[in-house]
mmCIF file of all heavy atoms in Angstrom:
data_model
loop_
_atom_site.group_PDB
_atom_site.id
_atom_site.type_symbol
_atom_site.label_atom_id
_atom_site.label_comp_id
_atom_site.label_asym_id
_atom_site.label_seq_id
_atom_site.Cartn_x
_atom_site.Cartn_y
_atom_site.Cartn_z
ATOM 1 N N THR A 1 -12.929 -0.023 2.784
ATOM 2 C CA THR A 1 -12.254 1.229 3.138
ATOM 3 C C THR A 1 -13.313 2.276 3.487
ATOM 4 O O THR A 1 -14.237 2.518 2.696
ATOM 5 C CB THR A 1 -11.408 1.751 1.966
ATOM 6 O OG1 THR A 1 -10.424 0.774 1.623
ATOM 7 C CG2 THR A 1 -10.708 3.044 2.345
ATOM 8 N N TRP A 2 -13.165 2.872 4.650
ATOM 9 C CA TRP A 2 -14.038 3.972 5.076
ATOM 10 C C TRP A 2 -13.179 5.213 5.275
ATOM 11 O O TRP A 2 -12.110 5.153 5.882
ATOM 12 C CB TRP A 2 -14.761 3.607 6.372
ATOM 13 C CG TRP A 2 -15.543 4.758 6.952
ATOM 14 C CD1 TRP A 2 -16.769 5.208 6.564
ATOM 15 C CD2 TRP A 2 -15.147 5.596 8.049
ATOM 16 N NE1 TRP A 2 -17.157 6.282 7.333
ATOM 17 C CE2 TRP A 2 -16.173 6.543 8.252
ATOM 18 C CE3 TRP A 2 -14.008 5.646 8.866
ATOM 19 C CZ2 TRP A 2 -16.109 7.522 9.245
ATOM 20 C CZ3 TRP A 2 -13.946 6.623 9.862
ATOM 21 C CH2 TRP A 2 -14.985 7.550 10.036
ATOM 22 N N ARG A 3 -13.621 6.330 4.719
ATOM 23 C CA ARG A 3 -12.870 7.579 4.829
ATOM 24 C C ARG A 3 -13.781 8.705 5.293
ATOM 25 O O ARG A 3 -14.925 8.837 4.833
ATOM 26 C CB ARG A 3 -12.278 7.978 3.470
ATOM 27 C CG ARG A 3 -11.213 7.038 2.939
ATOM 28 C CD ARG A 3 -9.896 7.229 3.672
ATOM 29 N NE ARG A 3 -8.834 6.440 3.085
ATOM 30 C CZ ARG A 3 -8.553 5.187 3.411
ATOM 31 N NH1 ARG A 3 -9.284 4.568 4.336
ATOM 32 N NH2 ARG A 3 -7.564 4.531 2.838
ATOM 33 N N GLU A 4 -13.273 9.502 6.202
ATOM 34 C CA GLU A 4 -13.891 10.789 6.544
ATOM 35 C C GLU A 4 -12.905 11.855 6.076
ATOM 36 O O GLU A 4 -11.864 12.072 6.685
ATOM 37 C CB GLU A 4 -14.163 10.903 8.037
ATOM 38 C CG GLU A 4 -15.072 12.067 8.372
ATOM 39 C CD GLU A 4 -15.698 11.962 9.745
ATOM 40 O OE1 GLU A 4 -15.349 11.030 10.500
ATOM 41 O OE2 GLU A 4 -16.540 12.821 10.072
ATOM 42 N N HIS A 5 -13.220 12.492 4.954
ATOM 43 C CA HIS A 5 -12.258 13.311 4.232
ATOM 44 C C HIS A 5 -11.966 14.637 4.921
ATOM 45 O O HIS A 5 -10.925 15.242 4.667
ATOM 46 C CB HIS A 5 -12.759 13.559 2.814
ATOM 47 C CG HIS A 5 -13.030 12.297 2.067
ATOM 48 N ND1 HIS A 5 -12.032 11.512 1.537
ATOM 49 C CD2 HIS A 5 -14.195 11.646 1.788
ATOM 50 C CE1 HIS A 5 -12.561 10.455 0.948
ATOM 51 N NE2 HIS A 5 -13.871 10.507 1.084
ATOM 52 N N TRP A 6 -12.862 15.099 5.714
ATOM 53 C CA TRP A 6 -12.606 16.280 6.543
ATOM 54 C C TRP A 6 -13.478 16.195 7.794
ATOM 55 O O TRP A 6 -14.630 15.788 7.742
ATOM 56 C CB TRP A 6 -12.849 17.579 5.782
ATOM 57 C CG TRP A 6 -14.122 17.621 4.975
ATOM 58 C CD1 TRP A 6 -14.279 17.332 3.661
ATOM 59 C CD2 TRP A 6 -15.432 17.975 5.451
ATOM 60 N NE1 TRP A 6 -15.587 17.472 3.279
ATOM 61 C CE2 TRP A 6 -16.324 17.871 4.347
ATOM 62 C CE3 TRP A 6 -15.947 18.368 6.680
ATOM 63 C CZ2 TRP A 6 -17.686 18.143 4.451
ATOM 64 C CZ3 TRP A 6 -17.305 18.639 6.788
ATOM 65 C CH2 TRP A 6 -18.154 18.536 5.686
ATOM 66 N N ILE A 7 -12.856 16.541 8.907
ATOM 67 C CA ILE A 7 -13.544 16.467 10.194
ATOM 68 C C ILE A 7 -13.831 17.856 10.734
ATOM 69 O O ILE A 7 -14.889 18.117 11.306
ATOM 70 C CB ILE A 7 -12.708 15.667 11.214
ATOM 71 C CG1 ILE A 7 -12.477 14.239 10.700
ATOM 72 C CG2 ILE A 7 -13.378 15.641 12.573
ATOM 73 C CD1 ILE A 7 -11.484 13.455 11.532
ATOM 74 N N ASN A 8 -12.870 18.768 10.501
ATOM 75 C CA ASN A 8 -12.983 20.125 11.049
ATOM 76 C C ASN A 8 -12.339 21.104 10.071
ATOM 77 O O ASN A 8 -11.722 20.692 9.075
ATOM 78 C CB ASN A 8 -12.313 20.192 12.432
ATOM 79 C CG ASN A 8 -10.891 19.653 12.402
ATOM 80 O OD1 ASN A 8 -10.154 19.877 11.450
ATOM 81 N ND2 ASN A 8 -10.496 18.927 13.443
ATOM 82 N N PRO A 9 -12.474 22.389 10.297
ATOM 83 C CA PRO A 9 -11.903 23.372 9.362
ATOM 84 C C PRO A 9 -10.386 23.299 9.228
ATOM 85 O O PRO A 9 -9.829 23.836 8.273
ATOM 86 C CB PRO A 9 -12.345 24.723 9.960
ATOM 87 C CG PRO A 9 -13.579 24.409 10.738
ATOM 88 C CD PRO A 9 -13.340 23.051 11.320
ATOM 89 N N MET A 10 -9.699 22.650 10.157
ATOM 90 C CA MET A 10 -8.243 22.504 10.040
ATOM 91 C C MET A 10 -7.840 21.396 9.078
ATOM 92 O O MET A 10 -6.655 21.189 8.837
ATOM 93 C CB MET A 10 -7.621 22.244 11.415
ATOM 94 C CG MET A 10 -7.524 23.496 12.268
ATOM 95 S SD MET A 10 -9.105 23.913 13.032
ATOM 96 C CE MET A 10 -9.194 22.684 14.323
ATOM 97 N N GLY A 11 -8.804 20.672 8.550
ATOM 98 C CA GLY A 11 -8.502 19.648 7.550
ATOM 99 C C GLY A 11 -8.118 18.296 8.107
ATOM 100 O O GLY A 11 -7.587 17.460 7.371
ATOM 101 N N HIS A 12 -8.388 18.052 9.391
ATOM 102 C CA HIS A 12 -8.097 16.724 9.938
ATOM 103 C C HIS A 12 -9.007 15.697 9.260
ATOM 104 O O HIS A 12 -10.122 15.997 8.844
ATOM 105 C CB HIS A 12 -8.349 16.703 11.448
ATOM 106 C CG HIS A 12 -7.420 17.583 12.206
ATOM 107 N ND1 HIS A 12 -7.329 17.573 13.575
ATOM 108 C CD2 HIS A 12 -6.517 18.517 11.784
ATOM 109 C CE1 HIS A 12 -6.430 18.468 13.977
ATOM 110 N NE2 HIS A 12 -5.929 19.043 12.904
ATOM 111 N N ARG A 13 -8.512 14.459 9.157
ATOM 112 C CA ARG A 13 -9.303 13.397 8.557
ATOM 113 C C ARG A 13 -8.963 12.074 9.227
ATOM 114 O O ARG A 13 -7.953 11.939 9.925
ATOM 115 C CB ARG A 13 -9.074 13.334 7.057
ATOM 116 C CG ARG A 13 -7.647 13.410 6.605
ATOM 117 C CD ARG A 13 -7.591 13.677 5.113
ATOM 118 N NE ARG A 13 -6.299 14.221 4.708
ATOM 119 C CZ ARG A 13 -6.079 14.865 3.587
ATOM 120 N NH1 ARG A 13 -7.074 15.041 2.736
ATOM 121 N NH2 ARG A 13 -4.895 15.342 3.282
ATOM 122 N N ARG A 14 -9.796 11.069 8.953
ATOM 123 C CA ARG A 14 -9.576 9.762 9.561
ATOM 124 C C ARG A 14 -10.170 8.690 8.663
ATOM 125 O O ARG A 14 -10.934 8.982 7.735
ATOM 126 C CB ARG A 14 -10.191 9.694 10.955
ATOM 127 C CG ARG A 14 -11.685 9.945 10.993
ATOM 128 C CD ARG A 14 -12.164 10.144 12.417
ATOM 129 N NE ARG A 14 -13.550 10.613 12.460
ATOM 130 C CZ ARG A 14 -14.111 11.159 13.519
ATOM 131 N NH1 ARG A 14 -13.408 11.334 14.634
ATOM 132 N NH2 ARG A 14 -15.371 11.563 13.495
ATOM 133 N N GLY A 15 -9.814 7.448 8.966
ATOM 134 C CA GLY A 15 -10.318 6.366 8.140
ATOM 135 C C GLY A 15 -10.024 5.018 8.754
ATOM 136 O O GLY A 15 -9.352 4.899 9.784
ATOM 137 N N ALA A 16 -10.563 3.997 8.100
ATOM 138 C CA ALA A 16 -10.348 2.623 8.545
ATOM 139 C C ALA A 16 -10.282 1.724 7.314
ATOM 140 O O ALA A 16 -10.972 1.966 6.317
ATOM 141 C CB ALA A 16 -11.467 2.173 9.478
ATOM 142 N N ASP A 17 -9.438 0.700 7.378
ATOM 143 C CA ASP A 17 -9.263 -0.258 6.291
ATOM 144 C C ASP A 17 -9.310 -1.669 6.854
ATOM 145 O O ASP A 17 -8.800 -1.921 7.957
ATOM 146 C CB ASP A 17 -7.918 -0.050 5.582
ATOM 147 C CG ASP A 17 -7.767 1.349 5.026
ATOM 148 O OD1 ASP A 17 -8.298 1.602 3.940
ATOM 149 O OD2 ASP A 17 -7.114 2.182 5.688
ATOM 150 N N THR A 18 -9.905 -2.557 6.087
ATOM 151 C CA THR A 18 -9.908 -3.953 6.488
ATOM 152 C C THR A 18 -9.650 -4.838 5.283
ATOM 153 O O THR A 18 -10.011 -4.493 4.153
ATOM 154 C CB THR A 18 -11.251 -4.349 7.142
ATOM 155 O OG1 THR A 18 -11.158 -5.688 7.625
ATOM 156 C CG2 THR A 18 -12.400 -4.255 6.144
ATOM 157 N N GLU A 19 -8.971 -5.948 5.512
ATOM 158 C CA GLU A 19 -8.740 -6.960 4.480
ATOM 159 C C GLU A 19 -8.968 -8.319 5.105
ATOM 160 O O GLU A 19 -8.384 -8.640 6.146
ATOM 161 C CB GLU A 19 -7.329 -6.874 3.911
ATOM 162 C CG GLU A 19 -7.051 -7.925 2.848
ATOM 163 C CD GLU A 19 -5.648 -7.845 2.288
ATOM 164 O OE1 GLU A 19 -5.074 -6.745 2.267
ATOM 165 O OE2 GLU A 19 -5.124 -8.905 1.887
ATOM 166 N N LEU A 20 -9.827 -9.111 4.467
ATOM 167 C CA LEU A 20 -10.171 -10.427 4.992
ATOM 168 C C LEU A 20 -9.886 -11.477 3.935
ATOM 169 O O LEU A 20 -10.408 -11.418 2.823
ATOM 170 C CB LEU A 20 -11.656 -10.470 5.382
ATOM 171 C CG LEU A 20 -12.140 -9.402 6.372
ATOM 172 C CD1 LEU A 20 -13.640 -9.520 6.586
ATOM 173 C CD2 LEU A 20 -11.396 -9.525 7.699
ATOM 174 N N SER A 21 -9.036 -12.434 4.274
ATOM 175 C CA SER A 21 -8.774 -13.587 3.436
ATOM 176 C C SER A 21 -8.576 -14.780 4.355
ATOM 177 O O SER A 21 -8.518 -14.635 5.580
ATOM 178 C CB SER A 21 -7.540 -13.364 2.554
ATOM 179 O OG SER A 21 -6.375 -13.227 3.355
ATOM 180 N N GLU A 22 -8.473 -15.956 3.765
ATOM 181 C CA GLU A 22 -8.356 -17.140 4.615
ATOM 182 C C GLU A 22 -7.104 -17.121 5.484
ATOM 183 O O GLU A 22 -7.179 -17.381 6.686
ATOM 184 C CB GLU A 22 -8.388 -18.404 3.756
ATOM 185 C CG GLU A 22 -8.329 -19.681 4.586
ATOM 186 C CD GLU A 22 -8.380 -20.929 3.725
ATOM 187 O OE1 GLU A 22 -8.460 -20.801 2.490
ATOM 188 O OE2 GLU A 22 -8.338 -22.035 4.290
ATOM 189 N N PRO A 23 -5.927 -16.771 4.935
ATOM 190 C CA PRO A 23 -4.736 -16.812 5.799
ATOM 191 C C PRO A 23 -4.497 -15.521 6.595
ATOM 192 O O PRO A 23 -3.711 -15.526 7.528
ATOM 193 C CB PRO A 23 -3.596 -17.035 4.808
ATOM 194 C CG PRO A 23 -4.070 -16.372 3.554
ATOM 195 C CD PRO A 23 -5.558 -16.573 3.521
ATOM 196 N N ARG A 24 -5.167 -14.423 6.204
ATOM 197 C CA ARG A 24 -4.847 -13.160 6.865
ATOM 198 C C ARG A 24 -6.109 -12.330 7.040
ATOM 199 O O ARG A 24 -6.915 -12.183 6.126
ATOM 200 C CB ARG A 24 -3.826 -12.371 6.047
ATOM 201 C CG ARG A 24 -3.489 -11.012 6.642
ATOM 202 C CD ARG A 24 -2.658 -10.179 5.692
ATOM 203 N NE ARG A 24 -1.381 -10.786 5.403
ATOM 204 C CZ ARG A 24 -0.841 -10.877 4.189
ATOM 205 N NH1 ARG A 24 -1.484 -10.398 3.140
ATOM 206 N NH2 ARG A 24 0.335 -11.461 4.007
ATOM 207 N N GLN A 25 -6.251 -11.741 8.232
ATOM 208 C CA GLN A 25 -7.328 -10.801 8.491
ATOM 209 C C GLN A 25 -6.732 -9.602 9.230
ATOM 210 O O GLN A 25 -5.941 -9.770 10.162
ATOM 211 C CB GLN A 25 -8.430 -11.419 9.363
ATOM 212 C CG GLN A 25 -9.014 -12.729 8.811
ATOM 213 C CD GLN A 25 -8.239 -13.944 9.247
ATOM 214 O OE1 GLN A 25 -7.869 -14.066 10.412
ATOM 215 N NE2 GLN A 25 -7.975 -14.875 8.323
ATOM 216 N N ASN A 26 -7.083 -8.422 8.787
ATOM 217 C CA ASN A 26 -6.560 -7.249 9.486
ATOM 218 C C ASN A 26 -7.567 -6.111 9.478
ATOM 219 O O ASN A 26 -8.431 -6.022 8.607
ATOM 220 C CB ASN A 26 -5.208 -6.797 8.926
ATOM 221 C CG ASN A 26 -5.301 -6.311 7.498
ATOM 222 O OD1 ASN A 26 -6.092 -5.426 7.181
ATOM 223 N ND2 ASN A 26 -4.480 -6.873 6.617
ATOM 224 N N LEU A 27 -7.423 -5.249 10.461
ATOM 225 C CA LEU A 27 -8.212 -4.028 10.579
ATOM 226 C C LEU A 27 -7.280 -2.936 11.069
ATOM 227 O O LEU A 27 -6.570 -3.116 12.061
ATOM 228 C CB LEU A 27 -9.371 -4.213 11.564
ATOM 229 C CG LEU A 27 -10.170 -2.947 11.907
ATOM 230 C CD1 LEU A 27 -10.927 -2.449 10.685
ATOM 231 C CD2 LEU A 27 -11.132 -3.211 13.064
ATOM 232 N N SER A 28 -7.251 -1.804 10.355
ATOM 233 C CA SER A 28 -6.394 -0.691 10.761
ATOM 234 C C SER A 28 -7.196 0.607 10.698
ATOM 235 O O SER A 28 -8.094 0.769 9.870
ATOM 236 C CB SER A 28 -5.167 -0.580 9.851
ATOM 237 O OG SER A 28 -5.554 -0.351 8.514
ATOM 238 N N THR A 29 -6.869 1.508 11.599
ATOM 239 C CA THR A 29 -7.496 2.827 11.626
ATOM 240 C C THR A 29 -6.406 3.879 11.694
ATOM 241 O O THR A 29 -5.275 3.618 12.128
ATOM 242 C CB THR A 29 -8.434 2.982 12.832
ATOM 243 O OG1 THR A 29 -7.659 2.874 14.043
ATOM 244 C CG2 THR A 29 -9.515 1.915 12.828
ATOM 245 N N TRP A 30 -6.747 5.091 11.257
ATOM 246 C CA TRP A 30 -5.768 6.170 11.277
ATOM 247 C C TRP A 30 -6.453 7.519 11.437
ATOM 248 O O TRP A 30 -7.639 7.684 11.127
ATOM 249 C CB TRP A 30 -4.911 6.163 10.011
ATOM 250 C CG TRP A 30 -5.701 6.149 8.735
ATOM 251 C CD1 TRP A 30 -6.086 5.057 8.025
ATOM 252 C CD2 TRP A 30 -6.216 7.281 8.030
ATOM 253 N NE1 TRP A 30 -6.805 5.428 6.910
ATOM 254 C CE2 TRP A 30 -6.899 6.779 6.892
ATOM 255 C CE3 TRP A 30 -6.171 8.656 8.235
ATOM 256 C CZ2 TRP A 30 -7.529 7.630 5.972
ATOM 257 C CZ3 TRP A 30 -6.795 9.500 7.324
ATOM 258 C CH2 TRP A 30 -7.469 8.983 6.202
ATOM 259 N N TYR A 31 -5.696 8.447 11.955
ATOM 260 C CA TYR A 31 -6.138 9.840 12.112
ATOM 261 C C TYR A 31 -5.007 10.720 11.594
ATOM 262 O O TYR A 31 -3.849 10.532 11.963
ATOM 263 C CB TYR A 31 -6.434 10.157 13.578
ATOM 264 C CG TYR A 31 -7.101 11.491 13.805
ATOM 265 C CD1 TYR A 31 -8.482 11.578 13.977
ATOM 266 C CD2 TYR A 31 -6.363 12.672 13.875
ATOM 267 C CE1 TYR A 31 -9.111 12.795 14.198
ATOM 268 C CE2 TYR A 31 -6.984 13.893 14.089
ATOM 269 C CZ TYR A 31 -8.352 13.950 14.252
ATOM 270 O OH TYR A 31 -8.966 15.167 14.472
ATOM 271 N N GLU A 32 -5.340 11.689 10.716
ATOM 272 C CA GLU A 32 -4.312 12.437 9.999
ATOM 273 C C GLU A 32 -4.462 13.934 10.221
ATOM 274 O O GLU A 32 -5.568 14.483 10.170
ATOM 275 C CB GLU A 32 -4.438 12.125 8.512
ATOM 276 C CG GLU A 32 -3.182 12.361 7.697
ATOM 277 C CD GLU A 32 -3.339 11.752 6.308
ATOM 278 O OE1 GLU A 32 -2.988 10.560 6.135
ATOM 279 O OE2 GLU A 32 -3.833 12.461 5.414
ATOM 280 N N LEU A 33 -3.327 14.611 10.435
ATOM 281 C CA LEU A 33 -3.272 16.066 10.603
ATOM 282 C C LEU A 33 -2.354 16.628 9.524
ATOM 283 O O LEU A 33 -1.177 16.279 9.475
ATOM 284 C CB LEU A 33 -2.721 16.451 11.980
ATOM 285 C CG LEU A 33 -3.473 15.986 13.227
ATOM 286 C CD1 LEU A 33 -3.101 14.557 13.601
ATOM 287 C CD2 LEU A 33 -3.175 16.921 14.411
ATOM 288 N N PRO A 34 -2.863 17.494 8.649
ATOM 289 C CA PRO A 34 -2.007 18.064 7.611
ATOM 290 C C PRO A 34 -1.020 19.067 8.190
ATOM 291 O O PRO A 34 -1.316 19.784 9.156
ATOM 292 C CB PRO A 34 -3.003 18.738 6.663
ATOM 293 C CG PRO A 34 -4.167 19.077 7.534
ATOM 294 C CD PRO A 34 -4.251 17.993 8.564
ATOM 295 N N LEU A 35 0.169 19.106 7.588
ATOM 296 C CA LEU A 35 1.196 20.079 7.958
ATOM 297 C C LEU A 35 1.442 20.997 6.766
ATOM 298 O O LEU A 35 0.713 20.985 5.786
ATOM 299 C CB LEU A 35 2.471 19.353 8.386
ATOM 300 C CG LEU A 35 2.339 18.397 9.580
ATOM 301 C CD1 LEU A 35 3.660 17.677 9.840
ATOM 302 C CD2 LEU A 35 1.888 19.151 10.833
#
């Protein structure tokens, strides 16, 4: 898991997650804007 907890003064953030096993491999990324 990689997280960037704040990117700019507006509080935007982003991250990436990966899980690797024999039957399943995945990689996901996200970008978040607080409301």
